[in-house]
Amino acid sequence: MFRWMPKTLTPSDCGPRLVGTWSFALAAIESAWSTLLGSNSSDVDRVAGASDSRSCLLDAIEAACQHADLDPGVDSVGLGGLPDSSGRMSLDGAIMESPARFAGVAALRRHLHPVSVARLVMERTEHTLLCGADADEFADRHASVARELLSDDARSVYEQWEASRREGSAGPIDQGKDGSLLGLRPVDPGLGADSAGKLFRPNTGREGAAPAGHDTIGVLGRDLAGNLAAGCSTSGLPFKVPGRVGDSPIAGHGLFVQPEVGSATATGTGELISGICASFVAVETLRRGGTLLDAVLEVMLRVDELGPLRPHHQVGVIVMDALGNVASGAYRPGFLIATRDEGGGRVSGPDLVHRPEDDELPESARDGLAKNDGHETKEAR
Ligand code: GLY
């Protein structure tokens, strides 16, 4: 049974556009908008010499992801992110222009901006994926600045979680096969909520539960010339087994771009997204003649095939066609998307919620979602 929130999606040229996963992406894509239009490219740590439209697009994707990395209020990305079960941060990310122009980095422990390091890999090597200490060392060699990634807030949350784990009182959250805590389903409280940016905080309504879960900023961009690009940045699953890597740094999983066809980014439970190659499936559906909503639905049907989902599972996807038209969907309620285009910036609910009956959200979170469906930051110009 599928429930649609119908919108007319008549293909038309949408001009330049940035879209991002979750409401916290709005500030990130707003900050990158002038870069996309080519008027603010010096704000980004740029690769020397590039100043064309395609480079502005990559700069904008990178700038948006950097903005989220730097926001301590976002608990699933960068500085606000939560560490692994050893108390150490590790970050994953990727950037993509096409199947021939892509790179990801996984398990960075000393560099805050995985998309920037991924861009260095893409532009300065012939490789597509670097991981672990060697990825950090690669970043060192290319003059990226290393820093401590674990914030005081995250350390304090980790210490609480570690104490709860020792006492066996971590709260009503799922246990992984290895006994680790798998986390809560990410629920976006929307902008303006006290817990804005926090997908895994008390807005879930589960008293006593350690904050946990996982998510990502995924950004899709289209420039003035119609080029497409995508980027993802994440701190991954909080309290994960050290070494765990999710979907975000892998082409076809957390993001995919097929020039002249479209792009997609996925967010939520990386293990589910990777298992179905969600972003590839979405773009391939477009390539085979499907509509944007077909692409979103195809991803959700593949998730269904994974078997019964656990309470913390979620998959959200945003799909963009070559003209910049967008559709989005989520397996369960709780997902929001942010858009910035010539009409301004706004947050909206997804076009499709595949299992709306899986709604265990407390009243407060539902209110936040309702308030933010259509939240706008700028009037149309
Ligand atoms: N979607 C991010 C992760 O699972 O790591």
Side-chain angles (χ1 to χ4, degrees), residues 3-7 9 293 296 326-329 337 349-353:
R3 315 251 179 98
W4 297 81
M5 296 162 62
K7 287 184 185 169
L9 291 170
L293 283 172
V296 170
V326 168
S328 59
I337 73 161
D351 298 291
L352 176 156
V353 177

Short mmCIF file of all heavy atoms in Angstrom, two decimals, residues 3-7 9 293 296 326-329 337 349-353:
data_model
loop_
_atom_site.label_atom_id
_atom_site.label_comp_id
_atom_site.label_asym_id
_atom_site.label_seq_id
_atom_site.Cartn_x
_atom_site.Cartn_y
_atom_site.Cartn_z
N ARG A 3 1.22 5.40 -0.14
CA ARG A 3 0.47 6.63 0.05
C ARG A 3 1.27 7.76 -0.55
O ARG A 3 2.43 7.95 -0.23
CB ARG A 3 0.27 6.89 1.54
CG ARG A 3 -0.15 5.66 2.29
CD ARG A 3 -1.60 5.75 2.75
NE ARG A 3 -1.93 4.52 3.44
CZ ARG A 3 -1.91 4.39 4.75
NH1 ARG A 3 -1.60 5.42 5.49
NH2 ARG A 3 -2.22 3.25 5.30
N TRP A 4 0.67 8.49 -1.39
CA TRP A 4 1.35 9.55 -2.11
C TRP A 4 0.92 10.90 -1.57
O TRP A 4 -0.21 11.09 -1.16
CB TRP A 4 1.01 9.50 -3.59
CG TRP A 4 1.48 8.25 -4.23
CD1 TRP A 4 0.84 7.04 -4.19
CD2 TRP A 4 2.67 8.07 -4.95
NE1 TRP A 4 1.58 6.11 -4.86
CE2 TRP A 4 2.71 6.72 -5.36
CE3 TRP A 4 3.72 8.90 -5.32
CZ2 TRP A 4 3.74 6.19 -6.09
CZ3 TRP A 4 4.74 8.37 -6.07
CH2 TRP A 4 4.76 7.02 -6.44
N MET A 5 1.84 11.83 -1.61
CA MET A 5 1.51 13.23 -1.37
C MET A 5 1.69 13.88 -2.74
O MET A 5 2.77 14.38 -3.06
CB MET A 5 2.45 13.84 -0.34
CG MET A 5 2.30 13.18 1.02
SD MET A 5 3.68 13.50 2.08
CE MET A 5 3.62 15.26 2.24
N PRO A 6 0.65 13.79 -3.60
CA PRO A 6 0.88 14.08 -5.00
C PRO A 6 1.32 15.53 -5.25
O PRO A 6 0.83 16.45 -4.64
CB PRO A 6 -0.47 13.80 -5.66
CG PRO A 6 -1.43 13.61 -4.57
CD PRO A 6 -0.72 13.49 -3.28
N LYS A 7 2.24 15.66 -6.15
CA LYS A 7 2.65 16.96 -6.64
C LYS A 7 2.79 16.81 -8.14
O LYS A 7 3.17 15.75 -8.62
CB LYS A 7 4.01 17.37 -6.07
CG LYS A 7 3.97 17.76 -4.61
CD LYS A 7 5.32 18.22 -4.16
CE LYS A 7 5.30 18.50 -2.67
NZ LYS A 7 6.63 18.71 -2.12
N LEU A 9 4.71 16.98 -11.29
CA LEU A 9 6.13 17.04 -11.60
C LEU A 9 6.29 17.07 -13.12
O LEU A 9 6.71 16.12 -13.74
CB LEU A 9 6.85 15.84 -10.99
CG LEU A 9 6.94 15.86 -9.46
CD1 LEU A 9 7.45 14.53 -8.95
CD2 LEU A 9 7.84 16.99 -9.00
N LEU A 293 9.19 10.13 -9.70
CA LEU A 293 8.48 9.39 -8.65
C LEU A 293 8.67 7.89 -8.83
O LEU A 293 8.73 7.15 -7.85
CB LEU A 293 7.01 9.78 -8.63
CG LEU A 293 6.72 11.13 -7.97
CD1 LEU A 293 5.26 11.54 -8.17
CD2 LEU A 293 7.06 11.13 -6.49
N VAL A 296 11.95 7.17 -7.12
CA VAL A 296 11.84 7.14 -5.65
C VAL A 296 11.15 5.84 -5.22
O VAL A 296 11.60 5.14 -4.30
CB VAL A 296 11.04 8.37 -5.16
CG1 VAL A 296 10.69 8.23 -3.68
CG2 VAL A 296 11.84 9.65 -5.40
N VAL A 326 12.90 17.70 -9.19
CA VAL A 326 13.28 16.88 -8.04
C VAL A 326 12.07 16.13 -7.49
O VAL A 326 10.96 16.66 -7.47
CB VAL A 326 13.87 17.79 -6.92
CG1 VAL A 326 14.01 17.05 -5.61
CG2 VAL A 326 15.21 18.36 -7.35
N ALA A 327 12.30 14.90 -7.06
CA ALA A 327 11.31 14.19 -6.23
C ALA A 327 12.07 13.54 -5.07
O ALA A 327 13.27 13.24 -5.18
CB ALA A 327 10.57 13.13 -7.03
N SER A 328 11.36 13.34 -3.98
CA SER A 328 12.02 12.77 -2.81
C SER A 328 11.06 11.81 -2.12
O SER A 328 9.84 11.89 -2.28
CB SER A 328 12.44 13.87 -1.84
OG SER A 328 11.30 14.60 -1.43
N GLY A 329 11.63 10.92 -1.36
CA GLY A 329 10.79 9.97 -0.64
C GLY A 329 11.51 9.44 0.58
O GLY A 329 12.73 9.55 0.71
N ILE A 337 13.40 17.65 3.33
CA ILE A 337 14.45 18.05 2.38
C ILE A 337 14.50 19.57 2.28
O ILE A 337 13.51 20.26 2.53
CB ILE A 337 14.28 17.44 0.98
CG1 ILE A 337 13.13 18.08 0.22
CG2 ILE A 337 14.07 15.95 1.04
CD1 ILE A 337 13.23 17.84 -1.28
N GLY A 349 8.41 18.52 3.08
CA GLY A 349 8.31 17.09 3.30
C GLY A 349 8.56 16.35 1.99
O GLY A 349 8.54 16.95 0.91
N PRO A 350 8.82 15.05 2.07
CA PRO A 350 9.05 14.28 0.85
C PRO A 350 7.78 14.10 0.04
O PRO A 350 6.67 14.21 0.56
CB PRO A 350 9.57 12.95 1.39
CG PRO A 350 9.01 12.85 2.77
CD PRO A 350 8.89 14.25 3.30
N ASP A 351 7.95 13.81 -1.24
CA ASP A 351 6.78 13.58 -2.11
C ASP A 351 6.10 12.27 -1.77
O ASP A 351 4.91 12.10 -2.04
CB ASP A 351 7.24 13.56 -3.58
CG ASP A 351 7.83 14.89 -3.99
OD1 ASP A 351 7.07 15.85 -4.07
OD2 ASP A 351 9.07 14.96 -4.14
N LEU A 352 6.85 11.35 -1.23
CA LEU A 352 6.30 10.01 -0.95
C LEU A 352 6.80 9.54 0.41
O LEU A 352 7.98 9.67 0.71
CB LEU A 352 6.79 9.07 -2.06
CG LEU A 352 6.48 7.58 -2.01
CD1 LEU A 352 6.55 7.03 -3.43
CD2 LEU A 352 7.42 6.81 -1.12
N VAL A 353 5.89 9.05 1.22
CA VAL A 353 6.28 8.32 2.43
C VAL A 353 5.74 6.91 2.25
O VAL A 353 4.53 6.70 2.20
CB VAL A 353 5.72 8.97 3.71
CG1 VAL A 353 6.09 8.14 4.93
CG2 VAL A 353 6.26 10.39 3.86
#
